[in-house]
Amino acid sequence: MKRPIQLLIADDIRTQIESGALPPGAALPAIHELAERWSCSVGSARTAITLLREQGLISGGRGKPLMVRTQHRRAIRDSARHQLEKDLVRRPLEERAPVGTSELETGTSIHSVKFDCTYDVIRATTNIADRFKIPAGAKVLRRMYQTTDPDTGSWLARSVSHIPVELIRSNPDLMDASNEPWPGGTQHQLSTVGIEIARIVDEVTAQMPTTVDRQRWDLEGGVPLLRNLRTSIDTAGRVVELSDATYPADRTLLRFTTPLQPWSQ
Amino acid sequence: MKRPIQLLIADDIRTQIESGALPPGAALPAIHELAERWSCSVGSARTAITLLREQGLISGGRGKPLMVRTQHRRAIRDSARHQLEKDLVRRPLEERAPVGTSELETGTSIHSVKFDCTYDVIRATTNIADRFKIPAGAKVLRRMYQTTDPDTGSWLARSVSHIPVELIRSNPDLMDASNEPWPGGTQHQLSTVGIEIARIVDEVTAQMPTTVDRQRWDLEGGVPLLRNLRTSIDTAGRVVELSDATYPADRTLLRFTTPLQPWSQ
DNA sequence: GAGTGGTCTAGACCACTGT
DNA sequence: CAGTGGTCTAGACCACTCC
């Protein structure tokens, strides 16, 4: 049961971080010092640092000193918004207008962001078709939303939405990307073709970003991506929209409120 | 804009995996072959493999060949359970009995698991106290639940719950761990002191496990941990329970259903 | 035993940051 | 410029699995 040096070093530093001996923002000892202190090669000490970075505990490097990572402020994405959007559907345009495109506000940033949105019509994959209970290959509208930081070009939020074309054929405006951002969001869009959403199911998992994901999102090491698959079901029980959103886990908190029926008397 | 060899190799393999050229379960080329093919040192090729493992794409090693990781079956943790538990509160013992300790069923495993649970009374940290709106240092009951695989000793699920002692003082049975698993779960427990839960707020984030977390959960590389902070609020608007659950992201899917009020006529 | 991947070393070289 | 960390190499040695 002998553990490699790298783990010993990494765990020692982690313990110091957790105990508060190394507070967030504190500089770590230089790598060659670590190597000396543990009498190992600098390569092994460096590996320990790499491990800690993958655990999301430290940042820096590249000329800048290594330091204990500071926590990001987390943008809250609240499921209460679903009801909020629904309440606005029957309200006049002036009230709806400020409520922009569904789930894509970044929450944290005050300075301007670049908002992109692409519409196209594709053939449903078997996966998508199964969820909608439509034949595979049927036409679906795919909408890709994306907010980017205009300075760095890195993604801030991103989601892909699918809607069967059959459901919205009666209102061509819904297939036109130039109408975005649509005042009141997706629920109002669907209301124009007589669709009322009865409930929304959010399914959440997390996964590690690939190297290209890391670049696009401008992520530090050790930051997972949260994935939220949202299924909107209308009053007739049909699945009418699927949305697949991705958020960086270090800046995001997903909040879901479950109201409970009162005890029967 | 020249990218390191390790990233080139890693991205090449990742592309092959995503395109299906390397299906799940397929063996990867040996590291020394990669090194030869890309004319780099085995060290660099190995680093590429390490990167892919941290992205959750490959598994194996240690004598076993490296292979494309196969997806785990995901246990679904559904917020519908909150209402289900509430409905049972007013039902007779026989119906409640099979509904075990709240959120700790593993879902996937058929074979027996070891269930542990520890009760103790501690002083509220400022963090906990703030949430309950009680003075810091007030007594809270802390319950730690833990299911482990008896064969490997690795964790399958784990959660920590806090309840202010003040709220449950009138029923000493609630402070006694030997009554677990309590038929009907926490909502029934609280009902014995007259508390009715009105709504439950789940807050979800993800983070990477530390090296010791990895060991305890028996996780492969590149698997984040999902954290679910659950706040239970009673009909008087008081926060009556806080629960902090952790799940391995590769085996877990969190599902939240938001019912929406019908349009007013 | 052969072959695999994992740990570890010593050292060269580059990129970046600060003074 | 000095000092930092990041990339990369060549090679020794160990642990493990499979035949």
Side-chain angles (χ1 to χ4, degrees), chain A residues 95-145:
Chain A
E95 277 185 56
R96 279 177 2 232
V99 177
T101 39
S102 52
E103 65 273 51
L104 283 183
E105 277 103 39
T106 54
T108 66
S109 65
I110 310 152
H111 73 291
S112 67
V113 295
K114 184 161 158 287
F115 175 75
D116 276 313
C117 138
T118 321
Y119 278 38
D120 54 4
V121 173
I122 60 166
R123 302 268 168 195
T125 61
T126 53
N127 197 349
I128 299 272
D130 283 354
R131 291 241 190 182
F132 281 125
K133 296 201 183 112
I134 58 177
K139 285 184 182 169
V140 290
L141 173 66
R142 180 176 63 179
R143 307 179 298 170
M144 289 180 287
Y145 299 93

Side-chain angles (χ1 to χ4, degrees), chain A residues 229-246:
Chain A
L229 273 86
R230 189 173 356 277
T231 307
S232 298
I233 296 157
D234 77 350
T235 48
R238 287 178 305 185
V239 173
V240 294
E241 195 212 3
L242 292 172
S243 152
D244 183 350
T246 304

Side-chain angles (χ1 to χ4, degrees), chain B residues 4-6 39-41 44 62-64:
Chain B
I5 322 267
Q6 328 164 356
S39 33
C40 67
S41 75
S44 302
R62 299 256 162 180
K64 273 171 279 194

Side-chain angles (χ1 to χ4, degrees), chain B residues 88-134:
Chain B
L88 282 173
V89 164
R90 289 295 174 91
R91 313 293 295 173
L93 177 64
E94 311 86 72
E95 277 184 57
R96 282 181 354 240
V99 178
T101 38
S102 50
E103 65 274 51
L104 283 183
E105 278 102 38
T106 53
T108 66
S109 66
I110 310 151
H111 73 290
S112 67
V113 296
K114 184 161 157 287
F115 174 75
D116 276 312
C117 138
T118 320
Y119 279 38
D120 53 4
V121 172
I122 60 167
R123 302 266 168 197
T125 61
T126 53
N127 196 348
I128 298 272
D130 283 354
R131 290 242 191 180
F132 280 125
K133 295 200 184 115
I134 59 177

Side-chain angles (χ1 to χ4, degrees), chain A:
Chain A
M1 189 57 186
K2 66 163 193 259
R3 289 155 65 76
I5 324 265
Q6 328 164 358
L7 292 188
L8 295 179
I9 302 178
D11 277 353
D12 177 58
I13 296 179
R14 179 182 54 79
T15 308
Q16 290 183 51
I17 293 175
E18 286 172 355
S19 76
L22 283 173
L28 265 64
I31 286 184
H32 64 85
E33 284 177 26
L34 283 176
E36 203 175 324
R37 194 176 305 172
W38 291 82
S39 34
C40 66
S41 75
V42 291
S44 302
R46 191 186 308 285
T47 309
I49 295 296
T50 305
L51 280 173
L52 289 167
R53 206 203 308 280
E54 290 310 309
Q55 292 167 25
L57 293 174
I58 62 182
S59 60
R62 299 255 160 178
K64 271 170 280 193
L66 293 169
M67 53 166 59
V68 181
R69 195 175 294 186
T70 54
Q71 282 273 35
H72 261 125
R73 213 165 75 70
R74 288 191 141 94
I76 297 175
R77 309 209 168 247
D78 199 318
S79 68
R81 192 183 178 90
H82 298 156
Q83 183 67 57
L84 225 93
E85 252 192 45
K86 178 154 183 180
D87 291 342
L88 282 174
V89 163
R90 288 294 174 91
R91 314 294 294 173
L93 177 65
E94 311 88 72
E95 277 185 56
R96 279 177 2 232
V99 177
T101 39
S102 52
E103 65 273 51
L104 283 183
E105 277 103 39
T106 54
T108 66
S109 65
I110 310 152
H111 73 291
S112 67
V113 295
K114 184 161 158 287
F115 175 75
D116 276 313
C117 138
T118 321
Y119 278 38
D120 54 4
V121 173
I122 60 166
R123 302 268 168 195
T125 61
T126 53
N127 197 349
I128 299 272
D130 283 354
R131 291 241 190 182
F132 281 125
K133 296 201 183 112
I134 58 177
K139 285 184 182 169
V140 290
L141 173 66
R142 180 176 63 179
R143 307 179 298 170
M144 289 180 287
Y145 299 93
Q146 187 172 303
T147 49
T148 53
D149 184 323
D151 299 333
T152 65
S154 59
W155 288 351
L156 296 172
R158 195 182 137 77
S159 83
V160 181
S161 153
H162 293 267
I163 302 175
V165 165
E166 187 59 34
L167 291 176
I168 52 174
R169 200 186 297 280
S170 58
N171 184 358
D173 284 350
L174 297 184
M175 317 266 290
D176 184 355
S178 64
N179 290 320
E180 291 275 0
W182 186 286
T186 297
Q187 285 201 55
H188 186 272
Q189 288 181 298
L190 290 173
S191 76
T192 65
V193 291
I195 292 176
E196 175 182 1
I197 307 295
R199 64 181 196 279
I200 296 183
V201 178
D202 287 283
E203 292 177 322
V204 179
T205 54
Q207 69 199 50
M208 287 311 284
T210 64
T211 41
V212 301
D213 288 335
R214 274 248 264 270
Q215 232 175 276
R216 287 209 225 287
W217 291 94
D218 191 28
L219 293 177
E220 300 187 87
V223 177
L225 290 176
L226 285 166
R227 277 189 69 183
N228 185 346
L229 273 86
R230 189 173 356 277
T231 307
S232 298
I233 296 157
D234 77 350
T235 48
R238 287 178 305 185
V239 173
V240 294
E241 195 212 3
L242 292 172
S243 152
D244 183 350
T246 304
Y247 312 108
D250 64 339
R251 299 164 225 172
T252 312
L253 182 100
L254 303 179
R255 177 185 289 160
F256 301 96
T257 301
T258 308
L260 299 181
Q261 302 295 326
W263 284 338
S264 49
Q265 292 304 354

